[in-house]
Amino acid sequence: MLVHRRIHAWTQANPFKVDLTLMLSGVLFLAFPALILGGPHPALDLVLSLGIIVPLAWRRARPVLSGSITASFCLVQVLFSDMPVPADFVPLLTVYALAAYAPRWASLGGLMLAAIGCVLFILRYFGFPYISSTSEVVVYAFSVMAFEAVVLVAWTFGDLARTRRLAMEALRDHARRLEVERQQERDLAAADERTHIAREMHDIVAHSLSVIITQADGARYASAQDPEIAAKTLATIAETGRGSLREMRRLLGVLRGDELASTRPLPSLADVGALVDAVKRAGLEVVVAETGTMRRQLPPGAELTAYRVIQESLTNVLKHAGPGAQAGVDLQWVPRGLQIDVHDDGRGAGADVPQSAPPHPGRPPRQAPAPASGPGAGQGQGINGMAERVALYDGTLHAAPVTGGGFRVTAFIPYTEA
């Protein structure tokens, strides 16, 4: 079976070599014997045999040209030769090749020419002037029908080969298109993963550095009067840095394919308390309120999104709200999902934090007052990232300054309905 497959693979990969071998075999076993048979015109028989056999070398590469040459020499033979030659079996291969490899019009044309040729062949060499009775007419009629049946069988096998070849080409083309689509899906997945990693990196680095910078600035001014405050502040900085380093290692472990790193739990709503404690240690007063009852558990990705929204909002308060600001985090469970509201009373919110874009295509944008110039003006990557995260779960997010001072971020994450 293995040898058979190798032979089949070689013949499919080298069609011209196969046809050339077939042609040379025909010349050796069908053309040259015409000289040995000793007909009345051996040279003419040899030329006719070569004219019928040699085009087999191009029966697949140039099937129409090959069939035309073979048909021409067959016609010359019927007109000028007094006896058949061994090469007269070759036109059956030509009919097969036309049905298998030529256009449809050439395939049907070859079938009709072969059918007419069978009638002329029988009448030329076995009919006139030998038919002398009605019974002989019947015999010759059956002979014509037998020859025509052989031609039709050859054409049918060729047409089946053509159908199979076209089906295989269609399957190969379909496989190529599927491979292209899979590659496109992989590229899109990679792009989406890069965006996800960029958001994670921003959330981790921006929050941690904001806390660290705030603590370092406070420690620098307070250390002159109370060295113990500086020590406590440095401890908070170290703890925040270690937590950030752990998250960065987990994220890089996912990129490296580290199974231990990738299976560590991601932050969820249960970690909001620890997040608020860290922000409080950074010097920001935060009040958390949770109302309502959870109808069912949010997906882990949705809980991570809620956590990141709270984290980013509190980070923005730390960076832009100014000294003495207070923040509130309200978590309200409603029948459709989770409503998140993070607000502050800082004086710098309206100037420092830009407005958000609409989180979901097709929804009208809700405009906020244009931000004034300030230290954070023009830096909206955090809010854009929050809006993208929430939109992945069909939620909405709105961030805008509050009249009278402060800033408010409102997000809604619905339940994933089955």
Side-chain angles (χ1 to χ4, degrees), residues 30-384:
L30 298 177
F32 287 118
L35 295 175
I36 303 174
L37 293 177
H41 304 289
L44 177 61
D45 293 341
L46 177 61
V47 171
L48 293 174
S49 298
L50 292 175
I52 295 172
I53 296 172
V54 170
L56 286 177
W58 299 278
R59 69 187 186 100
R60 274 186 274 199
R62 297 288 187 272
V64 177
L65 177 62
S66 174
S68 301
I69 296 175
T70 300
S72 300
F73 276 91
C74 288
L75 180 60
V76 172
Q77 178 191 353
V78 170
L79 293 177
F80 299 102
S81 180
D82 296 331
M83 61 179 298
V85 294
D88 288 334
F89 293 100
V90 171
L92 293 175
L93 299 178
T94 303
V95 170
Y96 174 91
L98 287 172
Y101 309 110
R104 178 60 66 179
W105 64 268
S107 171
L108 297 176
L111 176 61
M112 289 192 304
L113 287 178
I116 297 172
C118 286
V119 176
L120 295 178
F121 183 84
I122 293 176
L123 293 177
R124 175 69 174 84
Y125 297 114
F126 305 102
F128 301 110
Y130 309 110
I131 299 177
S132 58
S133 63
T134 304
S135 60
E136 290 179 348
V137 172
V138 175
V139 171
Y140 283 114
F142 276 105
S143 300
V144 170
M145 292 176 60
F147 274 72
E148 299 290 0
V150 172
V151 171
L152 184 61
V153 168
W155 183 88
T156 301
F157 276 106
D159 193 64
L160 291 175
R162 172 196 183 89
T163 302
R164 182 178 181 275
R165 176 174 57 84
L166 293 178
M168 294 299 295
E169 290 178 358
L171 289 175
R172 285 192 290 267
D173 181 68
H174 182 63
R176 284 192 296 268
R177 284 189 281 108
L178 287 178
E179 183 61 30
V180 171
E181 291 176 1
R182 281 195 295 267
Q183 183 61 43
Q184 291 176 345
E185 290 176 357
R186 287 193 291 265
D187 293 341
L188 291 175
D192 182 69
E193 185 64 21
R194 284 194 296 269
T195 303
H196 171 73
I197 292 171
R199 287 196 298 262
E200 289 288 331
M201 294 283 286
H202 174 272
D203 292 338
I204 294 170
V205 175
H207 173 74
S208 301
L209 289 182
S210 296
V211 173
I212 290 172
I213 291 172
T214 302
Q215 290 289 303
D217 288 340
R220 183 177 60 182
Y221 293 111
S223 60
Q225 298 179 358
D226 190 352
E228 293 183 1
I229 295 179
K232 295 179 180 179
T233 304
L234 291 175
T236 302
I237 291 174
E239 181 181 352
T240 303
R242 291 191 189 97
S244 177
L245 183 60
R246 283 194 298 270
E247 290 201 49
M248 290 291 292
R249 284 175 175 171
R250 178 190 59 77
L251 186 60
L252 294 176
V254 174
L255 295 177
R256 290 194 302 264
D258 187 351
E259 294 182 358
L260 294 178
S262 62
T263 55
R264 291 173 184 171
L266 293 170
S268 64
L269 290 175
D271 300 302
V272 171
L275 172 64
V276 171
D277 291 340
V279 174
K280 287 181 178 179
R281 287 194 298 270
L284 177 66
E285 290 297 326
V286 183
V287 177
V288 180
E290 184 174 358
T291 58
T293 304
M294 185 190 313
R295 182 159 61 91
R296 68 161 173 255
Q297 191 75 26
L298 287 175
E303 289 203 14
L304 174 62
T305 296
Y307 177 90
R308 293 303 188 197
V309 168
I310 298 171
Q311 182 187 50
E312 178 65 26
S313 301
L314 293 178
T315 300
N316 286 337
V317 175
L318 276 174
K319 291 193 295 185
H320 306 301
Q326 294 183 348
V329 178
D330 298 330
L331 303 177
Q332 183 181 5
W333 293 98
V334 297
R336 291 184 55 244
L338 174 63
Q339 182 83 25
I340 303 171
D341 185 82
V342 182
H343 52 87
D344 68 87
D345 58 1
R347 68 176 185 272
D352 293 339
V353 182
Q355 64 192 37
S356 67
H360 198 277
R363 296 195 174 111
R366 288 179 285 184
Q367 299 294 334
S373 60
Q379 301 171 2
Q381 295 302 317
I383 291 180
N384 290 337

Side-chain angles (χ1 to χ4, degrees), residues 4-14:
H4 172 72
R5 290 181 179 177
R6 289 181 177 179
I7 294 175
H8 177 73
W10 185 87
T11 56
Q12 294 297 316
N14 303 275

